[in-house]
Each structure stands twice: as C-alpha cells, then as structure tokens.
Amino acid sequence: MFGFGFFRRFSSFRTVCADMVLNHAPGSRSLYHQTGVDYCCGLDFALLRPSFYQEAASFDRAPNNVLVTLGGADPLGLTFKILAELLPLHPQLNWVAVCTDNFCKTHRTSLEPFSAKHPQLQLLYNLGEKEMRLQMSKHRYAIVSASTVVLEA
C-alpha cells in the first residue's frame, strides 16, 4: 500500500496493486478512482488508539492549558522553538510539552533549562496511550504534528 505522498510524487502511476487502500486523511477519497480496489478513505477510517475513541465532549478542558506534542525525536527542535516564541507572549497560560526519550539530545539541552526558568511549563516524557489521552483531555489548546496525533487531539 502506498500513502498519499506516493501519489503526489508519482502522479503518472495511477494503478494501485492492492485489494484495499486505507487512507484516513480528510478528503483522500478523491485521489482514488481505480475499480476493483476497496477504498477506505477519510476520517471514518482513522486508526486511533482505543482510549481515543472516548467522546471528547465529556472532558473538562481548562481554558488556560496548552499542550505541545510534536512526536518522536523532533529532529528540528520545533518543540523548543515553538515554546521559546509563544510562552513569553502568553505567560499566563499553563504549558505542557510531551516528548519521548528519542527527543534529540541537542534540543533537549535547550528545552530543559528553558523549562527550569518558566514554572508554567511542564515537560513530560514517554507517555503511554492513557496518559497521553489524559493530557489531551485537560488542554483547551494543542499544538501537534500533522499526523495521527492531530486526529487524536
């Protein structure tokens, strides 16, 4: 199975060699027109972790909470760059940044001292599915990567 990026780069290849194509990106159904292939496209087919199916309306999201989670190693250090720009502009907000142990050590050495100077910033590492869902349920605002995490938020 080839994702959306394949079709964007190789638009001359229109034949899909698959029985089924799964693409949960919004609006993705319009990309596929081949007969004989089952297309499971759009948000109805999003592959979310089980705890993220809980109804979001049941959460009491605090109006002053901001979650920043850009996933994985964040090799460009965008977590730190975003926080360094936005936190000083909104010091009245409570900020939580979620990272993994794979978070690039170069950027981690910038982020941790920055966090020590800003008590309204909390750093969390290696959250499991339920812990991540709990964090998302507490935050009115989220800055997330363009991945499945945006659907979970």
Side-chain angles (χ1 to χ4, degrees):
M1 179 174 77
F2 298 104
F4 175 73
F6 174 81
F7 286 102
R8 294 286 287 188
R9 283 176 276 175
F10 303 104
S11 59
S12 62
F13 298 110
R14 296 286 182 198
T15 303
V16 176
C17 299
D19 295 324
M20 180 177 63
V21 172
L22 173 65
N23 185 341
H24 61 230
S28 59
R29 181 63 183 103
S30 64
L31 298 172
Y32 308 105
H33 304 288
Q34 184 176 326
T35 58
V37 177
D38 290 326
Y39 295 103
C40 301
C41 298
L43 294 175
D44 289 342
F45 298 96
L47 299 174
L48 304 181
R49 296 176 282 181
S51 64
F52 288 91
Y53 284 104
Q54 185 176 355
E55 193 64 38
S58 65
F59 296 128
D60 182 26
R61 294 184 168 151
N64 291 329
N65 288 353
V66 181
L67 176 69
V68 179
T69 179
L70 301 177
D74 187 12
L76 300 176
L78 296 177
T79 300
F80 174 69
K81 291 174 184 175
I82 288 168
L83 290 167
E85 289 294 323
L86 294 180
L87 194 144
L89 296 174
H90 303 282
Q92 76 283 7
L93 299 177
N94 301 310
W95 297 78
V96 170
V98 177
C99 306
T100 68
D101 274 342
N102 294 329
F103 186 69
C104 184
K105 292 191 186 331
T106 304
H107 304 300
R108 197 175 197 168
T109 58
S110 301
L111 185 58
E112 289 176 347
F114 181 79
S115 174
K117 294 178 186 175
H118 295 74
Q120 69 273 41
L121 172 60
Q122 180 183 13
L123 299 180
L124 301 174
Y125 292 97
N126 299 321
L127 297 186
E129 172 187 335
K130 291 181 181 173
E131 296 164 308
M132 189 64 165
R133 184 60 178 150
L134 177 64
Q135 287 302 316
M136 287 185 179
S137 73
K138 292 179 176 181
H139 294 81
R140 172 75 46 95
Y141 306 103
I143 300 169
V144 300
S145 58
S147 65
T148 302
V149 176
V150 78
L151 300 175
E152 292 174 341

